[in-house]
Amino acid sequence: MTKIMKIGKREFDLKGHCYIMGILNVTPDSFSDGGKFNTIENALRHAEEMINEGADIIDIGGESTRPGHQVITDEEEIARVTPAIEAVKKNFDVPVSIDTYKGAVTLAALQAGADLVNDIWGFKHDPKVAQYTAKYNAACCLMHNRNEALYKDFQNDFLMDMQECVNIAQNAGIADDKIMLDPGVGFGKTYEMNLEIINHMEIMHKLGYPILLGTSRKSVIGLTLDLPTDQRVEGTLVTTVMAVIKGSSFVRVHDIKENYRTIKMTEAILSR
């Protein structure tokens, strides 16, 4: 695995540390924080708060990707995300990620200054996403996803799916040190499979890329603890501990301060 990953102007040393990608949804309907940050002033205030609390990357999304979400037009998504990307890049020295699976949105976001493309379909939905990522020499996060949770051998099939995403990236001309992989908790998996991939995410090291775990406030936590989205912080923190133990380089979360402290404590223990 590459030891250094450059995202925007920042170099991430991937040896023995887990970084935080903070979630900034400029959407009216995201499952956890919809409507909270869909003005530029609120988005900037929240970005600043996340950076101050320890976020290393700000991930901006303009369309909710929760199950049963409302699909919006490219134009509407672009109108939501590009002002937010430009504002964050102008006001803060932090890498910015665009959370999209659409070619037109990817292009607009990269033109607005995004440094990383975070695609929930791992480049499999729209081939232009990989092309634009390569053209702008951006980094990418490729998430595992399937239309249905049907597998012959879950872990092997999962790894084959992830390798297909990597192949698409490489064929588009994206360098290996620009790629990270997300196991896609909550997408194309049963409840049991979500728990299994969190417990066995170290199998992804076979592919040779940094791992990003995104479980923040997700349904797997809600189902396990029987809690609504606004009460899933502790459950999320447990998955973050797992991410650090299993060698993930990044976690994508809503609650920065709590996750920052959790990572720091876990790494302190593991370093002895």
Side-chain angles (χ1 to χ4, degrees):
M1 187 180 89
T2 177
K3 291 189 176 68
I4 302 283
M5 185 173 190
K6 193 172 184 192
I7 304 171
K9 290 185 284 187
R10 180 159 176 202
E11 289 189 345
F12 290 84
D13 182 354
L14 306 177
K15 210 168 183 297
H17 181 55
C18 186
Y19 297 92
I20 294 175
M21 177 185 279
I23 300 168
L24 181 58
N25 287 319
V26 287
T27 56
D29 62 338
S30 279
F31 81 96
S32 176
D33 53 10
K36 277 191 183 177
F37 313 116
N38 58 347
T39 68
I40 288 300
E41 294 76 20
N42 288 349
L44 274 179
R45 199 176 302 121
H46 189 52
E48 181 174 31
E49 181 186 23
M50 289 196 290
I51 292 162
N52 289 340
E53 290 183 349
D56 302 288
I57 303 168
I58 301 297
D59 186 49
I60 296 175
E63 178 184 277
S64 172
T65 51
R66 63 188 168 82
H69 72 281
Q70 180 69 41
V71 176
I72 60 173
T73 64
D74 292 358
E75 291 73 24
E76 189 175 347
E77 193 172 340
I78 289 166
R80 290 178 184 180
V81 299
T82 51
I85 293 166
E86 287 167 356
V88 172
K89 291 298 290 185
K90 181 181 172 187
N91 286 277
F92 309 108
D93 185 22
V94 65
V96 168
S97 165
I98 175 65
D99 179 2
T100 190
Y101 55 92
K102 301 171 187 173
V105 180
T106 301
L107 178 60
L110 291 167
Q111 288 172 338
D115 305 294
L116 185 149
V117 176
N118 183 15
D119 184 349
I120 63 161
W121 282 103
F123 289 163
K124 290 180 178 179
H125 177 81
D126 183 345
K128 286 183 177 167
V129 179
Q131 292 166 21
Y132 293 139
T133 303
K135 182 181 176 184
Y136 280 80
N137 197 30
C140 61
C141 180
L142 308 179
M143 195 190 86
H144 179 268
N145 208 339
R146 276 193 180 195
N147 286 314
E148 289 183 276
L150 299 173
Y151 303 86
K152 287 180 182 172
D153 177 333
F154 173 59
Q155 290 188 27
N156 276 333
D157 292 355
F158 166 87
L159 286 175
M160 283 166 62
D161 289 353
M162 289 257 72
Q163 185 61 55
E164 285 172 13
C165 297
V166 170
N167 293 347
I168 295 168
Q170 290 175 329
N171 290 336
I174 297 167
D176 280 343
D177 63 358
K178 292 281 185 185
I179 299 170
M180 68 172 82
L181 303 178
D182 176 346
V185 171
F187 292 83
K189 296 168 193 67
T190 62
Y191 167 74
E192 291 80 11
M193 289 170 182
N194 286 319
L195 291 173
E196 183 177 341
I197 202 60
I198 294 168
N199 191 26
H200 296 283
M201 69 183 107
E202 74 277 0
I203 65 169
M204 296 173 70
H205 291 305
K206 294 176 186 173
L207 299 170
Y209 297 93
I211 300 167
L212 175 142
L213 183 66
T215 54
S216 190
R217 305 183 189 170
K218 283 188 175 176
S219 61
V220 66
I221 297 165
L223 289 167
T224 303
L225 302 178
D226 192 23
L227 290 171
T229 52
D230 62 349
Q231 292 181 42
R232 298 176 186 173
V233 178
E234 299 93 341
T236 300
L237 299 179
V238 174
T239 65
T240 293
V241 173
M242 292 298 293
V244 177
I245 290 171
K246 299 286 184 178
S248 282
S249 299
F250 301 89
V251 289
R252 179 181 179 275
V253 294
H254 297 87
D255 306 285
I256 309 303
K257 178 179 65 183
E258 294 86 346
N259 280 277
Y260 178 85
R261 292 172 179 174
T262 297
I263 290 168
K264 191 171 182 182
M265 191 70 220
T266 309
E267 288 181 347
I269 294 167
L270 291 176
S271 71
R272 303 309 297 178

